[in-house]
Amino acid sequence: MKWFNMSTDSLPSHGQTTLISVNGIYHITVYDSENKLFTLVSDSEVTFSVLKHQIYWRDYKIPEEK
């Protein structure tokens, strides 16, 4: 599984769904390139700023419900 370090690697595309790791805790988020924020899929009021957090990320596809 390839993880990207947002400090040294590229950032995701705008609107891309990602799995991020912040302080060893994993979150499913959507990336907002205009504001440089990762926003939780389950709670849009919770965000992680690339300016304030050390974030590792990778692409994530949300499984479809059956």
Side-chain angles (χ1 to χ4, degrees), residues 4-15:
F4 297 93
N5 180 336
M6 62 94 205
S7 298
T8 58
D9 297 322
S10 63
L11 289 168
S13 302
H14 182 75

Side-chain angles (χ1 to χ4, degrees), residues 35-59:
N35 296 303
K36 297 194 181 314
L37 293 173
F38 289 88
T39 303
L40 283 185
V41 168
S42 61
D43 185 351
S44 62
E45 293 184 18
V46 178
T47 61
F48 299 93
S49 169
V50 300
L51 304 175
K52 296 180 181 179
H53 299 93
Q54 177 62 41
I55 300 171
Y56 295 90
W57 71 274
R58 70 172 321 272
D59 186 41

Side-chain angles (χ1 to χ4, degrees), residues 6-27:
M6 62 94 205
S7 298
T8 58
D9 297 322
S10 63
L11 289 168
S13 302
H14 182 75
Q16 183 175 349
T17 303
T18 57
L19 176 63
I20 66 170
S21 174
V22 181
N23 297 324
I25 300 173
Y26 299 97
H27 308 276

